[in-house]
Amino acid sequence: GQNIDQPTEMTATEGAIVQINCTYQTSGFNGLFWYQQHAGEAPTFLSYNVLDGLEEKGRFSSFLSRSKGYSYLLLKELQMKDSASYLCAVVNSNYQLIWGAGTKLIIKP
Amino acid sequence: IAGITQAPTSQILAAGRRMTLRCTQDMRHNAMYWYRQDLGLGLRLIHYSNTAGTTGKGEVPDGYSVSRANTDDFPLTLASAVPSQTSVYFCASSDDSLNSYNEQFFGPGTRLTVL
């Protein structure tokens, strides 16, 4: 079967750094997406990785290791508005997105 | 219209009733998708369409049907609603579904309650 694992919930402090992990087992791999979803809203695109390594975009970075079936999203200088769920999704061999259940990130002052 | 719109925003429906959720996009995207999102579960694909005139079944298609008569519209129909179909439904679109870079853009969602 196909499986995406993420922690259910994480808590961090405003101004700090947090790393959200995602491990996957899918039928083939054609890339990995991270999306952000605020409560009651639609998911929005954050990042895409298809090659191993780190992709940096402002306060957010995403890392991929295809050999380990592993990715993480790194959020720096946390702000209260970063409180949201973060969804990991893998593009499988049929070019379909397989979604994790999401990690709810709670930011405390 | 900018992006993807969905209607209605929310709906309470009696079991056994027929319901159509509407989705319209103005980005001229080829591919469109319907997902349901339930607490503790990831987004699950119900049906998809790679291009106008074609549709396909996703992970959880039973009890749902779709049509894609043109590029912009992709309605989802529940023929006879059941309480297990209570969920938040998201419509999404992407430029090219048969590409590894398949960024999907989501509508605001429809919250459906079946009693």
Side-chain angles (χ1 to χ4, degrees):
Chain A
Q2 304 187 95
N3 197 46
I4 311 285
D5 286 319
Q6 307 179 232
T8 302
E9 187 175 295
M10 299 181 71
T11 302
T13 304
E14 190 178 14
I17 299 173
V18 70
Q19 177 175 311
I20 302 174
N21 296 326
C22 170
T23 58
Y24 61 88
Q25 289 180 311
T26 55
S27 56
F29 178 86
N30 279 304
L32 186 146
F33 285 90
W34 284 97
Y35 277 74
Q36 181 188 58
Q37 185 178 25
H38 286 100
E41 298 183 9
T44 56
F45 170 81
L46 280 179
S47 69
Y48 172 75
N49 295 69
V50 66
L51 300 176
D52 289 352
L54 188 68
E55 294 277 346
E56 297 186 77
K57 189 187 296 185
R59 294 189 299 114
F60 292 9
S61 302
S62 56
F63 171 84
L64 175 66
S65 169
R66 288 172 297 173
S67 62
K68 295 182 179 178
Y70 168 69
S71 173
Y72 68 73
L73 182 69
L74 191 71
L75 291 73
K76 303 176 185 176
E77 301 170 14
L78 287 169
Q79 301 175 9
M80 297 304 293
K81 68 179 182 179
D82 297 329
S83 292
S85 289
Y86 292 86
L87 314 181
C88 173
V90 172
V91 184
N92 70 6
S93 56
N94 293 326
Y95 297 105
Q96 289 185 336
L97 262 66
I98 308 301
W99 295 83
T103 298
K104 182 179 181 180
L105 178 63
I106 299 168
I107 309 296
K108 296 186 175 180
Chain B
I1 298 177
I4 301 182
T5 58
Q6 292 184 236
T9 301
S10 65
Q11 182 76 44
I12 298 174
L13 190 67
R17 298 297 295 267
R18 180 184 180 90
M19 176 75 191
T20 295
L21 307 185
R22 299 185 298 279
C23 174
T24 299
Q25 55 107 356
D26 67 353
M27 296 177 283
R28 308 304 294 173
H29 281 168
N30 288 311
M32 297 187 75
Y33 314 85
W34 274 105
Y35 291 96
R36 59 178 290 173
Q37 186 175 42
D38 302 290
L39 196 64
L41 299 177
L43 289 162
R44 291 184 291 169
L45 183 65
I46 304 171
H47 284 287
Y48 65 93
S49 169
N50 289 332
T51 189
T54 70
T55 62
K57 293 181 179 180
E59 179 186 356
V60 289
D62 294 343
Y64 305 95
S65 64
V66 292
S67 62
R68 186 89 184 277
N70 57 59
T71 298
D72 298 346
D73 301 301
F74 191 44
L76 175 74
T77 297
L78 288 67
S80 179
V82 295
S84 62
Q85 292 178 312
T86 293
S87 188
V88 179
Y89 291 85
F90 286 103
C91 179
S93 72
S94 67
D95 185 41
D96 182 359
S97 61
L98 300 178
N99 190 314
S100 60
Y101 185 75
N102 183 22
E103 180 185 348
Q104 295 184 8
F105 297 81
F106 286 81
T110 294
R111 185 174 296 274
L112 182 67
T113 302
V114 182
L115 301 175

